[in-house]
Amino acid sequence: LKLGLSRAPVVIRDEPDDLKAFLFVFYENLAGREFPLLEKAEIVSKLQAFGMAKSRIMKDILPLLQIPPTAFYLESFLSLSRLGFSAKKAISEKNLPFPIARLLAEFQVEDLEKIIPLLLPLGQNKQKEVLEDLLEISRRDNIPPREILEAPGIQAVLHSSKWPPVQKSERIRLALRPLLVVTPTERI
C-alpha cells in the first residue's frame, strides 16, 4: 500500500537444488543490504554444507562479502559459524569486530561460558588483551582457560561485592598479567 499498489507481482521459483536456491536468495539480499559479521559466517558455512567447494567460496563469495579471499579468512568465518549461542549473542549485541570474534572461536564452549561475562564490560582493546592472555597461558601451561579463571585470586574478585562489573573485569585482566611471566625454573 505504501507504493500505491493493491497487488504486487511475485515470482515463485521451484528450485530442487539447495545450493542454487540458496545462491539465488543470497544474491537477491546482497543487492539490497550489507551482512553483519555472523551472517557472513552463516552464509559461508551454508554454502560449504550445500556442497560448494572451498576454492569457489574463496574466489566467488568472499569478495562479495568484503572478506579477503584467503584460506585463513575462510576457515576463520567457518569457525565463527560453529560458536555457541552465548558467544554469538555477545558478538552481535556488543558488535564485536572480527579480530575479537576470531579469538573467541579459539575457545571451547565451556571456557566461553566463563570468559564472556568478564569481557562484556571491557572495551575492545582490553577484551582482545584478556583473550590473548588466556590463550597464551592456556597453551603454555596446557590447562583450559576455565581452570585459569578458577585461580583463588581471580575467584576472590569474581565473588566480591565491592566492585561493579567493569572494575571486576579490569581487576581480572590485571590478575592475568603476572601469570604470563613465568621464569624457566617455574615451568619445570
Side-chain angles (χ1 to χ4, degrees), residues 76-96:
S76 295
F77 275 85
L78 288 171
S79 68
L80 290 179
S81 72
R82 294 186 291 268
L83 282 169
F85 175 77
S86 63
K88 286 181 177 180
K89 181 179 176 188
I91 291 168
S92 180
E93 286 180 359
K94 291 290 273 184
N95 199 25
L96 297 177

Side-chain angles (χ1 to χ4, degrees), residues 129 133 136-137 140-141 148 153-154 170-183 186-187:
E129 186 180 313
D133 290 351
E136 183 176 335
I137 296 164
R140 181 196 66 213
D141 297 345
I148 297 166
I154 293 174
E170 180 61 22
R171 288 180 182 275
I172 290 168
R173 184 183 72 81
L174 293 173
L176 290 172
R177 301 308 298 177
L179 298 175
L180 288 168
V181 183
V182 177
T183 63
E186 289 177 300
R187 287 187 191 159

Side-chain angles (χ1 to χ4, degrees), residues 4 22 25 31 36 41 58-59 102 110 130 135-136 145 168 174 183:
F22 186 82
V25 173
M58 284 189 290
K59 180 179 172 268
R102 185 186 60 74
E110 301 85 10
V130 166
L135 280 172
E136 183 176 335
K168 282 183 179 184
L174 293 173
T183 63

Side-chain angles (χ1 to χ4, degrees), residues 2-175:
K2 286 185 179 184
L3 295 174
L5 301 173
S6 60
R7 295 177 185 244
V10 176
V11 175
I12 298 174
R13 288 186 60 141
D14 183 23
E15 179 58 67
D17 183 310
D18 289 339
L19 177 58
K20 286 181 182 177
F22 186 82
L23 284 171
F24 178 80
V25 173
F26 167 69
Y27 290 127
E28 183 79 18
N29 279 291
L30 185 64
R33 67 183 184 96
E34 283 189 39
F35 297 103
L37 184 68
L38 291 176
E39 280 189 58
K40 290 178 181 182
E42 291 303 318
I43 290 166
V44 170
S45 176
K46 286 194 184 296
L47 288 170
Q48 184 185 29
F50 289 138
M52 183 179 275
K54 286 183 177 184
S55 59
R56 184 169 170 218
I57 294 171
M58 284 189 290
K59 180 179 172 268
D60 297 342
I61 303 299
L62 293 187
L64 295 174
L65 293 171
Q66 299 172 340
I67 300 171
T70 67
F72 169 80
Y73 281 96
L74 174 63
E75 294 304 325
S76 295
F77 275 85
L78 288 171
S79 68
L80 290 179
S81 72
R82 294 186 291 268
L83 282 169
F85 175 77
S86 63
K88 286 181 177 180
K89 181 179 176 188
I91 291 168
S92 180
E93 286 180 359
K94 291 290 273 184
N95 199 25
L96 297 177
F98 173 76
I100 294 174
R102 185 186 60 74
L103 282 171
L104 286 174
E106 293 194 40
F107 291 92
Q108 299 295 318
V109 173
E110 301 85 10
D111 295 320
L112 289 172
E113 296 299 324
K114 296 204 179 259
I115 294 169
I116 288 173
L118 301 176
L119 291 181
L120 294 182
L122 297 172
Q124 291 179 0
N125 287 339
K126 291 180 180 177
Q127 288 173 342
K128 188 172 186 264
E129 186 180 313
V130 166
L131 293 172
E132 288 172 343
D133 290 351
L134 281 170
L135 280 172
E136 183 176 335
I137 296 164
S138 174
R139 288 175 180 156
R140 181 196 66 213
D141 297 345
N142 198 27
I143 58 171
R146 62 188 169 276
E147 287 184 26
I148 297 166
L149 296 174
E150 304 269 333
I154 293 174
Q155 285 298 304
V157 172
L158 281 173
H159 297 300
S160 173
S161 58
K162 291 195 277 189
W163 304 296
V166 171
Q167 289 179 343
K168 282 183 179 184
S169 293
E170 180 61 22
R171 288 180 182 275
I172 290 168
R173 184 183 72 81
L174 293 173

